[in-house]
């Protein structure tokens, strides 16, 4: 696997190191040893999948509160998304900064999202499927969110959303 740290310390873009031949390629999309070697959490508790039917669907910005914070590894397995994370670690030098990454079925990139980060995405195509590996069990009472267009963060989304759930629409500003 290829690890590239983003400007947000501890958040990485991971790429599959492809071994290619006439059949196609083979590569790892998950390796606990490689994540551990980079000092990253790798104790997966759940694997989740979402399907968004329409281009312009926003999901987020989501996180779980202490002591149920999640580390996530996000991959778009069908279609294309613009994936965004916000650093909510109060003692971080990048506190309240965000990063956006295009994840597609063709680029095989994944986004490693540390604990205490908000996460969300907008679909760039119809029929987008996203896979999430998470280090914490979903805990309904611990879930939280920030409005996708909170002026505090000035996230530069590549398009205006067409579909937002009522829950995501009603997240408060930070």
């Amino acid at each position: 696997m290829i690890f590239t740290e983003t400007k947000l310390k501890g958040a990485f873009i991971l790429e599959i190191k492809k071994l290619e031949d006439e059949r196609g390629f083979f590569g790892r999309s998950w390796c606990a040893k490689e994540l551990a070697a980079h000092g990253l959490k790798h104790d997966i508790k759940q694997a989740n999948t979402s399907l968004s039917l329409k281009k312009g669907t926003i999901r987020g910005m989501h996180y779980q509160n202490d002591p149920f914070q999640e580390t996530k590894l996000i991959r778009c397995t069908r279609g294309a998304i613009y994936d965004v994370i916000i650093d909510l670690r109060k003692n971080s030098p990048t506190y309240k900064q965000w990063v956006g990454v295009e994840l597609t079925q063709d680029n095989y990139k994944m986004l490693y999202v540390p604990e205490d980060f908000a996460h969300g995405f907008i679909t760039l195509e119809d029929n987008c499927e996203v896979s999430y590996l998470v280090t914490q069990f979903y805990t309904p009472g611990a879930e939280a969110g920030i409005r996708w267009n909170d002026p505090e963060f000035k996230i530069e989304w590549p398009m205006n959303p067409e579909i937002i759930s009522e829950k995501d629409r009603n997240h408060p500003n930070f």
Side-chain angles (χ1 to χ4, degrees):
M1 295 170 65
I2 302 165
F3 292 75
T4 305
E5 192 164 23
T6 70
K7 72 175 187 176
L8 307 179
K9 184 148 181 68
F12 286 80
I13 297 169
L14 278 63
E15 296 179 66
I16 295 172
K17 187 174 182 180
K18 298 176 184 174
L19 303 172
E20 299 183 71
D21 64 21
E22 65 278 355
R23 299 169 295 173
F25 78 85
F26 174 85
R28 282 192 200 99
S29 59
W30 170 256
C31 180
K33 284 183 182 180
E34 289 188 47
L35 270 78
H38 284 83
L40 304 178
K41 289 196 170 209
H42 56 278
D43 183 22
I44 298 303
K45 301 270 196 294
Q46 280 184 195
N48 304 320
T49 301
S50 70
L51 173 65
S52 299
L53 299 175
K54 296 293 181 189
K55 177 180 178 176
T57 299
I58 281 227
R59 292 181 183 258
M61 302 294 297
H62 305 141
Y63 62 97
Q64 286 199 165
N65 288 310
D66 184 40
F68 302 103
Q69 302 99 314
E70 299 172 317
T71 295
K72 300 175 183 177
L73 185 62
I74 310 298
R75 181 165 177 250
C76 182
T77 55
R78 182 173 18 160
I81 64 170
Y82 186 70
D83 207 21
V84 175
I85 56 176
I86 304 170
D87 187 348
L88 299 179
R89 301 172 296 179
K90 290 182 179 159
N91 296 324
S92 171
T94 56
Y95 179 57
K96 295 193 206 176
Q97 292 182 30
W98 65 274
V99 164
V101 178
E102 191 169 312
L103 305 178
T104 74
Q105 68 183 20
D106 296 324
N107 71 15
Y108 297 96
K109 291 182 180 179
M110 297 168 279
L111 185 59
Y112 177 89
V113 185
E115 291 180 352
D116 297 318
F117 276 63
H119 169 258
F121 62 84
I122 189 165
T123 58
L124 303 175
E125 301 177 4
D126 290 344
N127 298 308
C128 289
E129 187 173 271
V130 177
S131 175
Y132 314 66
L133 298 178
V134 293
T135 60
Q136 185 61 264
F137 296 110
Y138 171 69
T139 307
E143 65 183 337
I146 300 168
R147 201 160 44 94
W148 67 275
N149 61 350
D150 183 335
E152 177 85 18
F153 303 106
K154 298 179 179 74
I155 296 171
E156 297 172 13
W157 296 98
M159 67 178 63
N160 289 321
E162 299 290 327
I163 300 173
I164 308 171
S165 72
E166 182 177 344
K167 184 178 180 179
D168 285 351
R169 221 178 308 119
N170 291 321
H171 284 313
N173 283 340
F174 190 69

